[in-house]
């Protein structure tokens, strides 16, 4: 046996005889169907190869001395902009009242249209400057919802209520009346302006970025920036403060593909009642690494919500609190691409499998047609 004959025996694709090669209409239909299937699978595999997937890794958070950006975009439909303030406090003891750096607000009409813009300012700076001592003696209700606007009932060393508490309350009421009478004309005009805005159903949209220290703390939006006496003149009681709100966006850093901020789109509307909303947030430091090797530092978070309704004897002022804490673990999300060899392997599998399946289907159809046609031929003879 010659070398050529030995090589020919290795041919895995022997040629059939010419008379055995017969083209049929059923074979053409199966071929067209097979080509469509193979083209569809090829496009699918190509898109799968060009897409990226993510791999998550966890490690200890080693960041130090950095700030935490808080992106806020909220609407308060029942409170005008002049009475709202953004306050922040953290575990390091840093306490900021009525933050105005990179924080803006939009005046909203009762039907939700923008009617004016202005920079966040403290309505009662004038009132506080008018009587600075009263402002510090009564303070502001900032510490996790504990009320500092009014003095608490005095108690003795055993915790029993002082019998002179009612006398002291009456004394405070008389001091309040005398203080309100001492407001200058400008402050009274501002109070009238705010009351008119509330009568018109004005709301406020607050947006911007807070840069806070990277430690646990809270920020809240409320009327705590107001002087206590001015607040009483405007609302005639804390249970009349309606902190209904809509959270359009609340995030702790830039967005990355696939991020989910659980508070986005939150709507909390109060009707005939008042109270304090508290959102307990757990922040997870996150790094998103693109396939281009660019790194995006950001944060994702989970949240638990709690609402505390106001009661007649409560002395706290309603607010919306966001109490946050940071996880010691950093999550790294890395984009990966599939290898080219993986793409070729899958492509050969789907195309070869489709070709083999259509070949089997063609043979079955040909034999079926033969079985149907042969009896007819015999009957004709």
């Amino acid at each position: 046996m010659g070398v050529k004959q030995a090589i020919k025996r290795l041919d895995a694709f022997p040629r059939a005889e010419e008379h055995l090669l017969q083209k049929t209409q059923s074979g053409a239909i199966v071929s067209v169907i097979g080509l469509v299937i193979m083209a569809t699978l090829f496009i699918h595999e190509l898109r799968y190869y060009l897409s990226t997937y993510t791999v998550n890794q966890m490690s200890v958070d080693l960041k130090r001395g950095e700030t935490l950006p808080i992106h806020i975009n909220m609407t308060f439909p029942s409170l005008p902009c002049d009475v709202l303030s953004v306050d922040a406090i953290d575990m390091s003891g840093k306490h900021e009242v009525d933050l105005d750096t990179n924080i803006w607000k939009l005046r909203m009409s009762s039907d939700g249209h923008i009617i004016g813009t202005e920079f966040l300012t403290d309505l009662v700076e004038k009132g506080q400057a008018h009587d600075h001592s009263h402002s510090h003696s009564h303070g502001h209700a900032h510490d996790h919802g504990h009320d500092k606007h009014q003095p608490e009932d005095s108690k003795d060393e055993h915790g029993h209520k002082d019998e002179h508490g009612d006398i002291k309350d009456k004394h405070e009421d008389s001091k309040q009346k005398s203080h309100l009478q001492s407001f200058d004309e400008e402050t009274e005009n501002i109070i009238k302006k705010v009351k008119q805005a509330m009568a018109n159903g004005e709301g406020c949209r607050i947006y911007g970025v807070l840069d806070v220290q990277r430690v646990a703390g809270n920020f809240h939006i409320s009327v705590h920036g107001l002087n206590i006496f001015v607040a009483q003149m405007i609302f005639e009681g804390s249970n009349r403060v309606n902190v209904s709100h809509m959270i359009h966006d609340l995030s702790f850093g830039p967005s990355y593909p696939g991020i989910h901020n659980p508070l986005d789109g939150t709507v909390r509307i109060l009707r005939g009642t008042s109270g304090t909303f508290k959102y307990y947030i757990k922040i997870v430091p996150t790094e998103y690494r693109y396939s281009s090797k660019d790194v995006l530092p950001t944060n994702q978070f989970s949240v638990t919500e709690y609402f505390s309704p106001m009661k007649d004897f409560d002395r706290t002022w309603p607010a919306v609190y966001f109490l946050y804490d940071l996880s010691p673990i950093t999550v790294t999300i890395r984009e990966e691409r599939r290898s080219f060899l993986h793409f070729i392997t899958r492509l050969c599998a789907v195309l070869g499998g489709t070709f083999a399946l259509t070949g089997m289907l063609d043979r079955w159809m040909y034999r079926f047609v033969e079985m149907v046609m042969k009896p007819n031929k015999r009957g004709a003879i």
Side-chain angles (χ1 to χ4, degrees):
M1 182 183 294
V3 178
K4 290 184 178 181
Q5 294 296 328
I7 294 175
K8 284 183 178 181
R9 288 180 175 274
L10 298 177
D11 187 4
F13 308 101
R15 303 298 183 269
E17 298 291 337
E18 288 292 333
H19 66 277
L20 297 177
L21 298 177
Q22 182 179 356
K23 295 183 178 181
T24 63
Q25 187 175 2
S26 62
I29 296 174
V30 172
S31 298
V32 172
I33 294 174
L35 288 175
V36 172
I37 294 175
M38 285 189 285
T40 304
L41 293 177
F42 172 77
I43 295 174
H44 177 269
E45 288 298 322
L46 181 62
R47 292 178 60 183
Y48 180 74
Y49 166 68
L50 295 176
S51 65
T52 59
Y53 65 97
T54 57
V55 177
N56 295 345
Q57 295 178 335
M58 291 188 295
S59 60
V60 177
D61 184 20
L62 301 176
K63 295 178 181 178
R64 294 181 297 175
E66 297 185 7
T67 59
L68 178 68
I70 304 176
H71 300 263
I72 305 171
N73 188 353
M74 297 178 61
T75 296
F76 289 80
S78 301
L79 291 174
C81 291
D82 289 315
V83 302
L84 287 173
S85 68
V86 182
D87 311 330
I89 185 172
D90 57 44
M91 289 187 63
S92 67
K94 187 177 181 181
H95 188 181
E96 296 181 275
V97 181
D98 199 9
L99 296 168
D100 58 3
T101 303
N102 297 326
I103 297 293
W104 295 81
K105 63 182 179 178
L106 304 173
R107 292 174 57 205
M108 310 290 290
S109 64
S110 57
D111 55 0
H113 294 97
I114 298 173
I115 57 176
T117 63
E118 56 185 308
F119 205 70
L120 273 177
T121 57
D122 189 355
L123 167 65
V124 208
E125 280 183 353
K126 303 178 183 65
Q128 290 172 341
H130 180 76
D131 191 349
H132 194 265
S133 61
H134 271 289
S135 176
H136 282 281
S137 63
H138 292 283
H140 306 287
H142 295 293
D143 191 6
H144 296 276
H146 296 298
D147 183 29
K148 296 182 181 179
H149 284 246
Q150 298 192 23
E152 296 185 1
D153 295 338
S154 56
K155 298 180 180 180
D156 60 17
E157 59 183 2
H158 299 291
H160 299 295
K161 194 169 182 179
D162 189 352
E163 61 182 358
H164 301 292
D166 294 337
I167 299 176
K168 294 178 72 175
D169 286 341
K170 292 179 181 179
H171 179 63
E172 291 297 333
D173 291 339
S174 62
K175 288 176 67 177
Q176 176 177 338
K177 291 179 181 177
S178 62
H179 185 83
L180 292 175
Q181 291 174 356
S182 64
F183 280 148
D184 57 22
E185 184 178 352
E186 186 177 0
T187 305
E188 290 180 355
N189 291 336
I190 294 177
I191 293 174
K192 291 179 181 178
K193 174 188 173 185
V194 174
K195 284 189 173 183
Q196 183 61 44
M198 293 178 62
N200 294 337
E202 275 194 28
C204 186
R205 185 162 183 167
I206 297 177
Y207 69 96
V209 180
L210 292 177
D211 287 316
V212 299
Q213 298 187 73
R214 200 177 182 82
V215 294
N218 80 79
F219 69 94
H220 50 275
I221 304 174
S222 65
V223 298
H224 292 167
L226 292 174
N227 178 286
I228 178 61
F229 302 109
V230 175
Q232 289 286 1
M233 284 289 293
I234 293 174
F235 296 104
E236 300 176 358
S238 58
N239 58 354
R240 295 178 178 269
V241 180
N242 188 340
V243 292
S244 298
H245 58 279
M246 293 171 281
I247 303 176
H248 308 291
D249 172 51
L250 182 71
S251 57
F252 295 84
S255 299
Y256 61 85
I259 191 173
H260 172 65
N261 296 319
L263 285 178
D264 289 1
T266 299
V267 178
R268 298 292 179 266
I269 303 298
L270 298 176
R271 291 182 175 87
T273 185
S274 184
T276 295
F277 290 90
K278 292 184 179 180
Y279 297 96
Y280 296 91
I281 296 173
K282 191 70 173 183
I283 300 173
V284 181
T286 304
E287 284 186 350
Y288 193 89
R289 298 180 177 270
Y290 292 92
S291 57
S292 60
K293 306 304 180 183
D294 293 334
V295 179
L296 178 67
T298 183
N299 300 278
Q300 52 185 324
F301 66 94
S302 61
V303 63
T304 302
E305 180 182 351
Y306 177 73
F307 173 70
S308 176
M310 290 290 297
K311 299 176 182 177
D312 293 338
F313 53 85
D314 282 345
R315 295 188 175 185
T316 57
W317 288 80
V320 179
Y321 282 87
F322 298 90
L323 303 99
Y324 56 86
D325 192 10
L326 284 92
S327 169
I329 301 299
T330 295
V331 174
T332 301
I333 305 174
R334 189 176 67 253
E335 282 186 350
E336 296 285 350
R337 287 191 176 277
R338 298 168 181 85
S339 67
F340 182 71
L341 289 178
H342 185 264
F343 168 66
I344 294 297
T345 302
R346 289 177 60 95
L347 193 62
C348 291
V350 298
L351 296 183
T354 304
F355 186 80
L357 181 63
T358 53
M360 293 171 58
L361 183 62
D362 176 51
R363 286 195 296 272
W364 292 340
M365 289 186 64
Y366 180 75
R367 289 175 182 176
F368 177 74
V369 171
E370 266 194 337
M371 290 174 60
V372 172
M373 295 297 293
K374 280 183 179 179
N376 294 337
K377 290 180 179 180
R378 290 175 184 174
I381 292 174

